Amino acid sequence: MSDPTEANGTTGAAEAESGQTAGGGAVARHVRVVLVDDHRMFRTGVQAEIGQTEQTGVEVVGEAADVDQAVTVITATRPEVVLLDVHLPGGGGVEVLRRCAPLMADAEQPVRFLALSVSDAAEDVIGVIRGGARGYVTKTITGTDLVDSIFRVQEGDAVFSPRLAGFVLDAFASTDAPPVDEDLDRLTQREREVLRLIARGYAYKEIAKQLFISVKTVESHVSAVLRKLQLSNRHELTRWATARRLV
């Protein structure tokens, strides 16, 4: 992500908190945010990009690495926006949304969720939106655009990358339930991520870097996917994923 630019002339954390600029005129933007992602290095990077409150108006008030931590931190801090990864230990982002439903429904101080994930899979996008998230962006987003997305979600807007918005429109325009793919259901969320990246031609090292895991872990996931789908190699895996439009 690139460095975020100055947002609406915010001149300092104290002024942002009071809602006044140095000239005493326009109201400065300010939003309290919790970061939920199971990769510490990624959380650190996001904090460095968007957490300079004097420049961005974003105040990071808490972090969490799994579902239980997320629910605890969100309940304690009551942020305006939560940046939520889709795949988390303990049940994933959908479980966080389920357990935080009363906070989202609070009429006076709603907690709003913006999914921020490496995954651009339709089922992931649709799952968290059905769970109550206000938007979904991928981790390729720039710092500037992420800050803008956070403020838009705070204001109640729905925010999506263009391609992902199409998934949501298609899903909610259809009255038919999506067909169940028993083969795909055998895979964990992380295995599905690795499957898609393998099918797109990524090398193991590239996948490891993209998902913040080791090459050895990637190899283990690939072996598990091949075993569960009864496939022999990555070429068969690619054909399998392409046939199901997962690539």
Side-chain angles (χ1 to χ4, degrees), residues 133-162:
R134 295 292 304 172
Y136 195 117
V137 294
T138 63
K139 290 180 178 179
T140 58
I141 193 171
T142 66
T144 301
D145 287 343
L146 181 56
V147 169
D148 181 63
S149 296
I150 290 169
F151 277 106
R152 287 175 60 193
V153 167
Q154 179 196 26
E155 293 163 2
D157 290 346
V159 179
F160 299 95
S161 303

PDB file of all heavy atoms in Angstrom, residues 133-162:
ATOM      1  N   ALA A 133     -21.196  -7.047   7.068  1.00  0.00           N
ATOM      2  CA  ALA A 133     -20.137  -6.099   6.719  1.00  0.00           C
ATOM      3  C   ALA A 133     -20.658  -5.068   5.725  1.00  0.00           C
ATOM      4  O   ALA A 133     -21.506  -5.372   4.886  1.00  0.00           O
ATOM      5  CB  ALA A 133     -18.932  -6.837   6.145  1.00  0.00           C
ATOM      6  N   ARG A 134     -20.123  -3.843   5.804  1.00  0.00           N
ATOM      7  CA  ARG A 134     -20.576  -2.764   4.929  1.00  0.00           C
ATOM      8  C   ARG A 134     -19.781  -2.683   3.640  1.00  0.00           C
ATOM      9  O   ARG A 134     -20.132  -1.905   2.741  1.00  0.00           O
ATOM     10  CB  ARG A 134     -20.459  -1.418   5.654  1.00  0.00           C
ATOM     11  CG  ARG A 134     -21.359  -1.279   6.850  1.00  0.00           C
ATOM     12  CD  ARG A 134     -22.803  -1.214   6.470  1.00  0.00           C
ATOM     13  NE  ARG A 134     -23.098  -0.147   5.522  1.00  0.00           N
ATOM     14  CZ  ARG A 134     -24.276   0.011   4.919  1.00  0.00           C
ATOM     15  NH1 ARG A 134     -25.255  -0.844   5.150  1.00  0.00           N
ATOM     16  NH2 ARG A 134     -24.477   1.005   4.079  1.00  0.00           N
ATOM     17  N   GLY A 135     -18.693  -3.463   3.543  1.00  0.00           N
ATOM     18  CA  GLY A 135     -17.896  -3.402   2.327  1.00  0.00           C
ATOM     19  C   GLY A 135     -16.817  -4.453   2.330  1.00  0.00           C
ATOM     20  O   GLY A 135     -16.616  -5.169   3.325  1.00  0.00           O
ATOM     21  N   TYR A 136     -16.104  -4.541   1.208  1.00  0.00           N
ATOM     22  CA  TYR A 136     -15.068  -5.562   1.054  1.00  0.00           C
ATOM     23  C   TYR A 136     -14.033  -5.030   0.077  1.00  0.00           C
ATOM     24  O   TYR A 136     -14.350  -4.716  -1.072  1.00  0.00           O
ATOM     25  CB  TYR A 136     -15.698  -6.840   0.503  1.00  0.00           C
ATOM     26  CG  TYR A 136     -14.858  -8.093   0.604  1.00  0.00           C
ATOM     27  CD1 TYR A 136     -15.283  -9.176   1.372  1.00  0.00           C
ATOM     28  CD2 TYR A 136     -13.658  -8.233  -0.091  1.00  0.00           C
ATOM     29  CE1 TYR A 136     -14.544 -10.346   1.448  1.00  0.00           C
ATOM     30  CE2 TYR A 136     -12.911  -9.394  -0.018  1.00  0.00           C
ATOM     31  CZ  TYR A 136     -13.365 -10.451   0.754  1.00  0.00           C
ATOM     32  OH  TYR A 136     -12.628 -11.606   0.827  1.00  0.00           O
ATOM     33  N   VAL A 137     -12.797  -4.917   0.545  1.00  0.00           N
ATOM     34  CA  VAL A 137     -11.689  -4.513  -0.323  1.00  0.00           C
ATOM     35  C   VAL A 137     -10.556  -5.509  -0.138  1.00  0.00           C
ATOM     36  O   VAL A 137     -10.455  -6.180   0.892  1.00  0.00           O
ATOM     37  CB  VAL A 137     -11.201  -3.083   0.000  1.00  0.00           C
ATOM     38  CG1 VAL A 137     -12.283  -2.061  -0.331  1.00  0.00           C
ATOM     39  CG2 VAL A 137     -10.773  -2.957   1.458  1.00  0.00           C
ATOM     40  N   THR A 138      -9.703  -5.624  -1.145  1.00  0.00           N
ATOM     41  CA  THR A 138      -8.590  -6.565  -1.059  1.00  0.00           C
ATOM     42  C   THR A 138      -7.333  -5.856  -0.567  1.00  0.00           C
ATOM     43  O   THR A 138      -7.240  -4.620  -0.567  1.00  0.00           O
ATOM     44  CB  THR A 138      -8.309  -7.217  -2.418  1.00  0.00           C
ATOM     45  OG1 THR A 138      -7.914  -6.205  -3.361  1.00  0.00           O
ATOM     46  CG2 THR A 138      -9.552  -7.935  -2.930  1.00  0.00           C
ATOM     47  N   LYS A 139      -6.347  -6.662  -0.189  1.00  0.00           N
ATOM     48  CA  LYS A 139      -5.129  -6.125   0.406  1.00  0.00           C
ATOM     49  C   LYS A 139      -4.203  -5.463  -0.611  1.00  0.00           C
ATOM     50  O   LYS A 139      -3.125  -4.978  -0.235  1.00  0.00           O
ATOM     51  CB  LYS A 139      -4.397  -7.230   1.162  1.00  0.00           C
ATOM     52  CG  LYS A 139      -5.139  -7.653   2.431  1.00  0.00           C
ATOM     53  CD  LYS A 139      -4.412  -8.750   3.189  1.00  0.00           C
ATOM     54  CE  LYS A 139      -5.154  -9.104   4.474  1.00  0.00           C
ATOM     55  NZ  LYS A 139      -4.501 -10.174   5.237  1.00  0.00           N
ATOM     56  N   THR A 140      -4.601  -5.410  -1.858  1.00  0.00           N
ATOM     57  CA  THR A 140      -3.841  -4.666  -2.862  1.00  0.00           C
ATOM     58  C   THR A 140      -4.209  -3.179  -2.847  1.00  0.00           C
ATOM     59  O   THR A 140      -3.599  -2.385  -3.557  1.00  0.00           O
ATOM     60  CB  THR A 140      -4.091  -5.226  -4.273  1.00  0.00           C
ATOM     61  OG1 THR A 140      -5.497  -5.174  -4.558  1.00  0.00           O
ATOM     62  CG2 THR A 140      -3.611  -6.682  -4.364  1.00  0.00           C
ATOM     63  N   ILE A 141      -5.162  -2.788  -2.036  1.00  0.00           N
ATOM     64  CA  ILE A 141      -5.627  -1.404  -1.980  1.00  0.00           C
ATOM     65  C   ILE A 141      -4.508  -0.488  -1.480  1.00  0.00           C
ATOM     66  O   ILE A 141      -3.666  -0.888  -0.673  1.00  0.00           O
ATOM     67  CB  ILE A 141      -6.868  -1.290  -1.071  1.00  0.00           C
ATOM     68  CG1 ILE A 141      -7.567   0.062  -1.231  1.00  0.00           C
ATOM     69  CG2 ILE A 141      -6.499  -1.545   0.393  1.00  0.00           C
ATOM     70  CD1 ILE A 141      -8.914   0.144  -0.526  1.00  0.00           C
ATOM     71  N   THR A 142      -4.467   0.746  -1.966  1.00  0.00           N
ATOM     72  CA  THR A 142      -3.474   1.711  -1.508  1.00  0.00           C
ATOM     73  C   THR A 142      -3.883   2.272  -0.144  1.00  0.00           C
ATOM     74  O   THR A 142      -5.061   2.212   0.239  1.00  0.00           O
ATOM     75  CB  THR A 142      -3.327   2.879  -2.489  1.00  0.00           C
ATOM     76  OG1 THR A 142      -4.557   3.631  -2.515  1.00  0.00           O
ATOM     77  CG2 THR A 142      -3.003   2.382  -3.891  1.00  0.00           C
ATOM     78  N   GLY A 143      -2.919   2.832   0.551  1.00  0.00           N
ATOM     79  CA  GLY A 143      -3.221   3.438   1.843  1.00  0.00           C
ATOM     80  C   GLY A 143      -4.235   4.559   1.740  1.00  0.00           C
ATOM     81  O   GLY A 143      -5.154   4.677   2.557  1.00  0.00           O
ATOM     82  N   THR A 144      -4.077   5.398   0.714  1.00  0.00           N
ATOM     83  CA  THR A 144      -5.004   6.511   0.518  1.00  0.00           C
ATOM     84  C   THR A 144      -6.423   6.020   0.300  1.00  0.00           C
ATOM     85  O   THR A 144      -7.384   6.538   0.891  1.00  0.00           O
ATOM     86  CB  THR A 144      -4.561   7.360  -0.695  1.00  0.00           C
ATOM     87  OG1 THR A 144      -3.236   7.848  -0.472  1.00  0.00           O
ATOM     88  CG2 THR A 144      -5.507   8.535  -0.911  1.00  0.00           C
ATOM     89  N   ASP A 145      -6.571   5.007  -0.564  1.00  0.00           N
ATOM     90  CA  ASP A 145      -7.911   4.483  -0.850  1.00  0.00           C
ATOM     91  C   ASP A 145      -8.502   3.763   0.355  1.00  0.00           C
ATOM     92  O   ASP A 145      -9.721   3.792   0.570  1.00  0.00           O
ATOM     93  CB  ASP A 145      -7.863   3.532  -2.048  1.00  0.00           C
ATOM     94  CG  ASP A 145      -7.660   4.265  -3.361  1.00  0.00           C
ATOM     95  OD1 ASP A 145      -7.878   5.493  -3.388  1.00  0.00           O
ATOM     96  OD2 ASP A 145      -7.270   3.618  -4.345  1.00  0.00           O
ATOM     97  N   LEU A 146      -7.654   3.127   1.150  1.00  0.00           N
ATOM     98  CA  LEU A 146      -8.152   2.448   2.347  1.00  0.00           C
ATOM     99  C   LEU A 146      -8.683   3.456   3.353  1.00  0.00           C
ATOM    100  O   LEU A 146      -9.751   3.257   3.939  1.00  0.00           O
ATOM    101  CB  LEU A 146      -7.047   1.598   2.978  1.00  0.00           C
ATOM    102  CG  LEU A 146      -7.446   0.811   4.229  1.00  0.00           C
ATOM    103  CD1 LEU A 146      -8.650  -0.094   3.959  1.00  0.00           C
ATOM    104  CD2 LEU A 146      -6.267  -0.007   4.752  1.00  0.00           C
ATOM    105  N   VAL A 147      -7.968   4.548   3.545  1.00  0.00           N
ATOM    106  CA  VAL A 147      -8.453   5.599   4.443  1.00  0.00           C
ATOM    107  C   VAL A 147      -9.793   6.126   3.962  1.00  0.00           C
ATOM    108  O   VAL A 147     -10.737   6.292   4.747  1.00  0.00           O
ATOM    109  CB  VAL A 147      -7.419   6.747   4.541  1.00  0.00           C
ATOM    110  CG1 VAL A 147      -8.029   7.963   5.251  1.00  0.00           C
ATOM    111  CG2 VAL A 147      -6.176   6.276   5.294  1.00  0.00           C
ATOM    112  N   ASP A 148      -9.892   6.390   2.670  1.00  0.00           N
ATOM    113  CA  ASP A 148     -11.161   6.879   2.109  1.00  0.00           C
ATOM    114  C   ASP A 148     -12.279   5.862   2.321  1.00  0.00           C
ATOM    115  O   ASP A 148     -13.412   6.230   2.672  1.00  0.00           O
ATOM    116  CB  ASP A 148     -10.986   7.161   0.615  1.00  0.00           C
ATOM    117  CG  ASP A 148     -12.260   7.698  -0.022  1.00  0.00           C
ATOM    118  OD1 ASP A 148     -12.713   8.789   0.363  1.00  0.00           O
ATOM    119  OD2 ASP A 148     -12.817   7.002  -0.897  1.00  0.00           O
ATOM    120  N   SER A 149     -11.978   4.572   2.128  1.00  0.00           N
ATOM    121  CA  SER A 149     -12.986   3.526   2.312  1.00  0.00           C
ATOM    122  C   SER A 149     -13.459   3.455   3.755  1.00  0.00           C
ATOM    123  O   SER A 149     -14.646   3.255   4.025  1.00  0.00           O
ATOM    124  CB  SER A 149     -12.408   2.173   1.879  1.00  0.00           C
ATOM    125  OG  SER A 149     -12.099   2.159   0.500  1.00  0.00           O
ATOM    126  N   ILE A 150     -12.530   3.619   4.689  1.00  0.00           N
ATOM    127  CA  ILE A 150     -12.882   3.590   6.112  1.00  0.00           C
ATOM    128  C   ILE A 150     -13.869   4.709   6.445  1.00  0.00           C
ATOM    129  O   ILE A 150     -14.887   4.487   7.120  1.00  0.00           O
ATOM    130  CB  ILE A 150     -11.614   3.711   6.981  1.00  0.00           C
ATOM    131  CG1 ILE A 150     -10.778   2.427   6.880  1.00  0.00           C
ATOM    132  CG2 ILE A 150     -11.976   4.003   8.440  1.00  0.00           C
ATOM    133  CD1 ILE A 150      -9.393   2.562   7.479  1.00  0.00           C
ATOM    134  N   PHE A 151     -13.592   5.904   5.963  1.00  0.00           N
ATOM    135  CA  PHE A 151     -14.490   7.024   6.260  1.00  0.00           C
ATOM    136  C   PHE A 151     -15.847   6.851   5.581  1.00  0.00           C
ATOM    137  O   PHE A 151     -16.884   7.219   6.143  1.00  0.00           O
ATOM    138  CB  PHE A 151     -13.846   8.350   5.854  1.00  0.00           C
ATOM    139  CG  PHE A 151     -12.900   8.894   6.884  1.00  0.00           C
ATOM    140  CD1 PHE A 151     -11.534   8.835   6.682  1.00  0.00           C
ATOM    141  CD2 PHE A 151     -13.371   9.430   8.071  1.00  0.00           C
ATOM    142  CE1 PHE A 151     -10.662   9.322   7.628  1.00  0.00           C
ATOM    143  CE2 PHE A 151     -12.503   9.922   9.033  1.00  0.00           C
ATOM    144  CZ  PHE A 151     -11.138   9.870   8.813  1.00  0.00           C
ATOM    145  N   ARG A 152     -15.846   6.280   4.397  1.00  0.00           N
ATOM    146  CA  ARG A 152     -17.125   6.045   3.714  1.00  0.00           C
ATOM    147  C   ARG A 152     -17.971   5.029   4.485  1.00  0.00           C
ATOM    148  O   ARG A 152     -19.192   5.201   4.634  1.00  0.00           O
ATOM    149  CB  ARG A 152     -16.877   5.575   2.293  1.00  0.00           C
ATOM    150  CG  ARG A 152     -16.373   6.672   1.364  1.00  0.00           C
ATOM    151  CD  ARG A 152     -16.025   6.122  -0.010  1.00  0.00           C
ATOM    152  NE  ARG A 152     -17.185   5.516  -0.650  1.00  0.00           N
ATOM    153  CZ  ARG A 152     -17.108   4.757  -1.722  1.00  0.00           C
ATOM    154  NH1 ARG A 152     -15.933   4.495  -2.276  1.00  0.00           N
ATOM    155  NH2 ARG A 152     -18.217   4.244  -2.259  1.00  0.00           N
ATOM    156  N   VAL A 153     -17.337   3.984   4.987  1.00  0.00           N
ATOM    157  CA  VAL A 153     -18.063   2.997   5.791  1.00  0.00           C
ATOM    158  C   VAL A 153     -18.551   3.625   7.094  1.00  0.00           C
ATOM    159  O   VAL A 153     -19.676   3.373   7.543  1.00  0.00           O
ATOM    160  CB  VAL A 153     -17.170   1.772   6.061  1.00  0.00           C
ATOM    161  CG1 VAL A 153     -17.774   0.878   7.140  1.00  0.00           C
ATOM    162  CG2 VAL A 153     -16.978   0.971   4.779  1.00  0.00           C
ATOM    163  N   GLN A 154     -17.725   4.456   7.714  1.00  0.00           N
ATOM    164  CA  GLN A 154     -18.148   5.158   8.930  1.00  0.00           C
ATOM    165  C   GLN A 154     -19.428   5.955   8.679  1.00  0.00           C
ATOM    166  O   GLN A 154     -20.323   6.012   9.537  1.00  0.00           O
ATOM    167  CB  GLN A 154     -17.041   6.099   9.400  1.00  0.00           C
ATOM    168  CG  GLN A 154     -17.413   6.900  10.658  1.00  0.00           C
ATOM    169  CD  GLN A 154     -16.492   8.095  10.885  1.00  0.00           C
ATOM    170  OE1 GLN A 154     -15.913   8.622   9.934  1.00  0.00           O
ATOM    171  NE2 GLN A 154     -16.351   8.506  12.131  1.00  0.00           N
ATOM    172  N   GLU A 155     -19.522   6.537   7.501  1.00  0.00           N
ATOM    173  CA  GLU A 155     -20.685   7.364   7.161  1.00  0.00           C
ATOM    174  C   GLU A 155     -21.895   6.539   6.718  1.00  0.00           C
ATOM    175  O   GLU A 155     -22.964   7.084   6.445  1.00  0.00           O
ATOM    176  CB  GLU A 155     -20.291   8.345   6.048  1.00  0.00           C
ATOM    177  CG  GLU A 155     -19.273   9.387   6.520  1.00  0.00           C
ATOM    178  CD  GLU A 155     -18.574  10.075   5.362  1.00  0.00           C
ATOM    179  OE1 GLU A 155     -18.916   9.762   4.192  1.00  0.00           O
ATOM    180  OE2 GLU A 155     -17.693  10.908   5.617  1.00  0.00           O
ATOM    181  N   GLY A 156     -21.715   5.201   6.623  1.00  0.00           N
ATOM    182  CA  GLY A 156     -22.829   4.337   6.284  1.00  0.00           C
ATOM    183  C   GLY A 156     -22.873   3.872   4.848  1.00  0.00           C
ATOM    184  O   GLY A 156     -23.808   3.163   4.445  1.00  0.00           O
ATOM    185  N   ASP A 157     -21.874   4.273   4.043  1.00  0.00           N
ATOM    186  CA  ASP A 157     -21.833   3.838   2.650  1.00  0.00           C
ATOM    187  C   ASP A 157     -21.398   2.374   2.553  1.00  0.00           C
ATOM    188  O   ASP A 157     -20.761   1.831   3.458  1.00  0.00           O
ATOM    189  CB  ASP A 157     -20.853   4.690   1.843  1.00  0.00           C
ATOM    190  CG  ASP A 157     -21.352   6.103   1.634  1.00  0.00           C
ATOM    191  OD1 ASP A 157     -22.546   6.351   1.880  1.00  0.00           O
ATOM    192  OD2 ASP A 157     -20.545   6.972   1.246  1.00  0.00           O
ATOM    193  N   ALA A 158     -21.703   1.756   1.432  1.00  0.00           N
ATOM    194  CA  ALA A 158     -21.192   0.428   1.104  1.00  0.00           C
ATOM    195  C   ALA A 158     -20.008   0.604   0.159  1.00  0.00           C
ATOM    196  O   ALA A 158     -20.096   1.365  -0.806  1.00  0.00           O
ATOM    197  CB  ALA A 158     -22.273  -0.420   0.448  1.00  0.00           C
ATOM    198  N   VAL A 159     -18.914  -0.092   0.452  1.00  0.00           N
ATOM    199  CA  VAL A 159     -17.675   0.102  -0.306  1.00  0.00           C
ATOM    200  C   VAL A 159     -17.171  -1.241  -0.835  1.00  0.00           C
ATOM    201  O   VAL A 159     -16.976  -2.182  -0.059  1.00  0.00           O
ATOM    202  CB  VAL A 159     -16.583   0.743   0.567  1.00  0.00           C
ATOM    203  CG1 VAL A 159     -15.290   0.911  -0.225  1.00  0.00           C
ATOM    204  CG2 VAL A 159     -17.053   2.083   1.119  1.00  0.00           C
ATOM    205  N   PHE A 160     -16.952  -1.305  -2.157  1.00  0.00           N
ATOM    206  CA  PHE A 160     -16.431  -2.523  -2.774  1.00  0.00           C
ATOM    207  C   PHE A 160     -15.463  -2.167  -3.884  1.00  0.00           C
ATOM    208  O   PHE A 160     -15.614  -1.137  -4.541  1.00  0.00           O
ATOM    209  CB  PHE A 160     -17.567  -3.357  -3.403  1.00  0.00           C
ATOM    210  CG  PHE A 160     -18.601  -3.819  -2.431  1.00  0.00           C
ATOM    211  CD1 PHE A 160     -19.765  -3.086  -2.247  1.00  0.00           C
ATOM    212  CD2 PHE A 160     -18.424  -4.977  -1.708  1.00  0.00           C
ATOM    213  CE1 PHE A 160     -20.728  -3.494  -1.345  1.00  0.00           C
ATOM    214  CE2 PHE A 160     -19.383  -5.396  -0.799  1.00  0.00           C
ATOM    215  CZ  PHE A 160     -20.534  -4.653  -0.619  1.00  0.00           C
ATOM    216  N   SER A 161     -14.485  -3.046  -4.095  1.00  0.00           N
ATOM    217  CA  SER A 161     -13.725  -2.980  -5.330  1.00  0.00           C
ATOM    218  C   SER A 161     -14.692  -3.304  -6.467  1.00  0.00           C
ATOM    219  O   SER A 161     -15.617  -4.094  -6.277  1.00  0.00           O
ATOM    220  CB  SER A 161     -12.580  -3.994  -5.304  1.00  0.00           C
ATOM    221  OG  SER A 161     -11.746  -3.770  -4.183  1.00  0.00           O
ATOM    222  N   PRO A 162     -14.509  -2.706  -7.657  1.00  0.00           N
ATOM    223  CA  PRO A 162     -15.490  -2.888  -8.744  1.00  0.00           C
ATOM    224  C   PRO A 162     -15.819  -4.345  -9.043  1.00  0.00           C
ATOM    225  O   PRO A 162     -16.981  -4.710  -9.182  1.00  0.00           O
ATOM    226  CB  PRO A 162     -14.804  -2.204  -9.930  1.00  0.00           C
ATOM    227  CG  PRO A 162     -13.955  -1.150  -9.300  1.00  0.00           C
ATOM    228  CD  PRO A 162     -13.454  -1.748  -8.026  1.00  0.00           C
TER     229      PRO A 162
END
